[in-house]
Amino acid sequence: MSRPRGVYEDPTAAASIDPDGSADGLHVAIIMDGNGRWAKERGLPRALGHREGVAALRRTVEGAAALGISRLTVFGFSTENWRRPPREVSELMGLLKAYFRSDIDRLERDGVRVRIVGRRTGLDADILDIVERAERRTAANHRFVLQVAFNYGGQADIVDAARAFADQVERGIARPEDLTEGLFESLLSTAPAPAPDLIIRTSGEQRLSNFLLWECAYAELVFQEVYWPDYGPDHLRAALDEFGRRERRYGAVSDVPNAEDNILAAG
Ligand code: FPP
């Protein structure tokens, strides 16, 4: 069940259509980790791990809708990934371009809307051109949303939103006291998407690594012991099974009052 974006507005309310057009369903975000280790274990260059990672992404996107997911956000390149060797950075940029070139027709046909989240400044013009064309071509699609976090960092996104609000104050459009959680999150690059219900990280590492820091407030976290290049719909189903066993309370108590509450209420 998807929720409106602002967890602060009404965390338990359900929406049939998200503000930016995806059908009702879960929002799952994935930190696609382990490409390098997958390659190393096979004596292959890291680049091949990333290439297999694209194949895993394709499999996962294709299987996601059938599992009740209507939005998938994947961490394709972080603001920190610029620190990698230039060859690897350029390989990752090349893979993003190749992915959209080769897959855009099918994504469009399959009703997938593509969105890129993160900082657009700093990206080469040819990348921007390809991703923005993909966004335009799929803008009317509603069946499924694929969000690719690219040149994305949770802290950078929060700083950019803070700067945008400060700019509004400076121009006299807003006053500091106008700032609410809802207004702030509308300024994030992920807006107006709902917050993720579930964040998955592959490869066995158990941290968020600057992914969706604001949006993760009430997300369930699932860590899976599989390198990303081996990932596919069966792993996604296993993560959803785990998610289904969790109880989400959004800071409230569960529906069934415990015995002590009953005694207090009666008394
Ligand atoms: C983490 O593995 C993965 C990345 C930094 C990049 C993820 C990219 C892809 C799956 C391919 C391209 C993406 C798109 C959107 C087309 P790692 O290199 O940190 O692995 P390691 O921790 O084992 O070294």
Side-chain angles (χ1 to χ4, degrees), residues 196-230:
D197 299 287
L198 166 65
I199 299 179
I200 296 168
R201 182 172 188 146
T202 63
S203 91
E205 305 285 349
Q206 302 197 357
R207 55 181 173 271
L208 285 175
S209 297
N210 205 11
F211 189 44
L212 302 177
L213 293 187
W214 175 282
E215 297 84 346
C216 73
Y218 289 99
E220 295 296 325
L221 308 181
V222 169
F223 302 101
Q224 293 182 287
E225 297 276 345
V226 51
Y227 292 143
W228 177 252
D230 289 328

Side-chain angles (χ1 to χ4, degrees), residues 56-105:
L57 176 63
R58 205 169 274 132
R59 286 195 295 275
T60 306
V61 171
E62 278 171 11
L67 295 170
I69 296 167
S70 65
R71 183 183 302 264
L72 195 65
T73 302
V74 293
F75 207 176
F77 189 86
S78 76
T79 44
E80 288 69 41
N81 286 154
W82 294 105
R83 297 179 195 146
R84 294 192 175 204
R87 239 172 93 176
E88 185 168 343
V89 169
S90 118
E91 173 75 22
L92 288 167
M93 298 289 158
L95 285 178
L96 182 82
K97 285 192 275 188
Y99 175 68
F100 282 125
R101 275 200 199 105
S102 60
D103 286 44
I104 192 63
D105 287 344

Side-chain angles (χ1 to χ4, degrees), residues 32-37 46 50 54 76 81 84 99 148 228:
M32 309 180 287
D33 195 17
N35 296 349
R37 277 162 285 167
R46 292 177 60 82
H50 294 313
V54 176
N81 286 154
R84 294 192 175 204
Y99 175 68
V148 181
W228 177 252

Side-chain angles (χ1 to χ4, degrees), residues 209-258:
S209 297
N210 205 11
F211 189 44
L212 302 177
L213 293 187
W214 175 282
E215 297 84 346
C216 73
Y218 289 99
E220 295 296 325
L221 308 181
V222 169
F223 302 101
Q224 293 182 287
E225 297 276 345
V226 51
Y227 292 143
W228 177 252
D230 289 328
Y231 206 82
D234 289 346
H235 298 97
L236 191 53
R237 186 178 297 109
L240 289 174
D241 286 348
E242 171 62 33
F243 172 77
R245 289 191 284 273
R246 307 274 177 89
E247 188 193 4
R248 304 182 76 195
R249 292 191 298 275
Y250 303 100
V253 291
S254 47
D255 292 342
V256 186
N258 62 30

